[in-house]
Amino acid sequence: MVETAASIDDVWSWLEEIPDPEIPVISLVDLGIIRGIRWHEDTLEITVTPTYSGCPATTVINFEIEAALRAKGIEHLSLVRQIAPPWTTDWLSDKGRAKLESYGIAPPQVAGGPTRCPHCHATAVEKISQFGSTPCKAQWRCTDCLEPFDYFKCI
């Protein structure tokens, strides 16, 4: 018998409530790593693409997805890891980009660096280090307000 208690839209909204463990201001959906949701007979399949193959948060992310969906009554669940095509910062939602900036993290820019400070919105910014608090971020500073900030690198 196929479990039909949860619609695909319900599942998307539930997954939108799960924060990224490294950047908790954005959800897994905002991050763009949830690539698909479907029912296959009585099993709910969630396709997840890690931000990169060695991402240390992958295990935590999978655990959080499973825990959240089981709490909603999903009994039969399969997490499918999809590494191709590889995740890209283009998959970040517009809402996720806005949340990053509100949180003080400059969202990725095609030009390769932040165009303004997420704190004061000045355009005078400089790179401090290519490496930030996580592998996907670099450390920058605003030369107007002098506040340091993370920049989410384009991948």
Side-chain angles (χ1 to χ4, degrees):
M1 180 173 168
V2 175
E3 185 175 351
T4 58
S7 71
I8 298 299
D9 288 341
D10 285 339
V11 177
W12 277 109
S13 68
W14 298 337
L15 294 176
E16 197 164 5
E17 296 172 7
I18 303 172
D20 175 70
E22 292 180 331
I23 309 170
V25 70
I26 60 175
S27 74
L28 301 181
V29 172
D30 289 330
L31 189 56
I33 65 170
I34 306 299
R35 301 309 299 159
I37 300 170
R38 75 178 190 123
W39 283 103
H40 180 70
E41 298 177 1
D42 68 340
T43 301
L44 181 64
E45 290 184 356
I46 308 295
T47 302
V48 182
T49 297
T51 54
Y52 67 98
S53 61
C55 178
T58 300
T59 302
V60 173
I61 288 168
N62 290 342
F63 175 81
E64 293 297 328
I65 291 170
E66 192 165 329
L69 295 178
R70 296 219 185 275
K72 296 292 187 180
I74 304 297
E75 294 180 23
H76 304 285
L77 176 64
S78 173
L79 297 179
V80 179
R81 183 176 185 198
Q82 177 180 315
I83 58 172
W87 179 85
T88 171
T89 50
D90 292 341
W91 294 358
L92 280 164
S93 71
D94 290 340
K95 186 167 82 171
R97 291 170 187 275
K99 286 179 182 179
L100 284 173
E101 189 168 28
S102 293
Y103 189 66
I105 299 173
Q109 301 293 321
V110 177
T115 57
R116 66 182 190 173
C117 172
H119 303 292
C120 73
H121 303 291
T123 58
V125 296
E126 64 185 3
K127 186 188 318 184
I128 297 171
S129 174
Q130 182 63 25
F131 305 99
S133 58
T134 64
C136 60
K137 292 184 282 187
Q139 189 69 51
W140 284 66
R141 175 179 47 221
C142 175
T143 58
D144 281 1
C145 73
L146 302 179
E147 287 294 321
F149 62 91
D150 279 334
Y151 166 63
F152 200 112
K153 299 176 196 173
C154 281
I155 297 175

